[in-house]
Amino acid sequence: MTVTLNSPAAVADSISETMEKIADLVFSDSVADDDAICITDKGRLCLHVMRSLSLTLTEAEEIVSELADYGIETADAFDDAYYGKFDGYHAEREFAEEYYLSMGVIDTDNPLFGYIDWQDVWSAELRYDYSFVGDIYVFKTSG
């Protein structure tokens, strides 16, 4: 089969489509892990990161490289550690606020809620257990 591509966008679309097909094969329930041994654990994690975070291959490789520094080297470890995406100017404080609200520690009806410095909460409490990877993705990085 010959495909003629006329633009860089078409090439990118073709590569993206091919990667999706590979990802579908790797993550298909019908394919046993033993049947896909040609794909390394790092490759599987990279494909999983691409699919989970909607990233390009290059972006996923950078994230996987950073995750290795925290001992996150499998798709299961990724799924267990991933908390969310925070890409605003005040990402650390936004994460801290969302984290404590989701835990039910405090709610917005509490009269003290408006006085909490969420950046201080991040700095004093959460930065020891969570890390920003790729500057916007939050992962639990301690036991």
Side-chain angles (χ1 to χ4, degrees), residues 79-94:
D79 290 338
D80 291 342
Y82 181 67
Y83 186 88
K85 180 179 177 181
F86 297 84
D87 59 356
Y89 179 72
H90 303 290
E92 293 170 346
R93 77 171 89 170
E94 290 171 11

Side-chain angles (χ1 to χ4, degrees), residues 64-111:
V64 166
S65 178
E66 281 189 66
L67 291 174
D69 295 340
Y70 298 108
I72 300 169
E73 297 179 337
T74 66
D76 287 339
F78 171 90
D79 290 338
D80 291 342
Y82 181 67
Y83 186 88
K85 180 179 177 181
F86 297 84
D87 59 356
Y89 179 72
H90 303 290
E92 293 170 346
R93 77 171 89 170
E94 290 171 11
F95 164 68
E97 181 178 347
E98 180 178 305
Y99 177 82
Y100 279 101
L101 285 171
S102 71
M103 298 295 288
V105 173
I106 191 165
D107 61 42
T108 55
D109 295 334
N110 187 313

Side-chain angles (χ1 to χ4, degrees), residues 90-139:
H90 303 290
E92 293 170 346
R93 77 171 89 170
E94 290 171 11
F95 164 68
E97 181 178 347
E98 180 178 305
Y99 177 82
Y100 279 101
L101 285 171
S102 71
M103 298 295 288
V105 173
I106 191 165
D107 61 42
T108 55
D109 295 334
N110 187 313
L112 299 176
F113 182 82
Y115 295 100
I116 298 172
D117 184 332
W118 293 108
Q119 185 63 47
D120 283 348
V121 172
W122 162 261
S123 297
E125 299 294 327
L126 296 173
R127 72 182 176 114
Y128 301 105
D129 296 322
Y130 292 88
S131 298
F132 278 81
V133 174
D135 294 328
I136 62 174
Y137 302 104
V138 178
F139 289 85

Side-chain angles (χ1 to χ4, degrees), residues 15 39-40 43-44 48 51 57 65 72 79 82 87 96 102:
I15 291 170
I39 298 176
T40 64
R44 287 183 187 176
H48 186 70
R51 178 179 252 185
L57 178 59
S65 178
I72 300 169
D79 290 338
Y82 181 67
D87 59 356
S102 71

Side-chain angles (χ1 to χ4, degrees), residues 17-39:
E17 181 179 285
T18 302
M19 292 305 297
E20 281 295 320
K21 288 178 184 176
I22 292 170
D24 287 341
L25 176 63
V26 172
F27 296 109
S28 171
D29 293 333
S30 64
V31 177
D33 285 341
D34 293 341
D35 293 339
I37 58 173
C38 63
I39 298 176

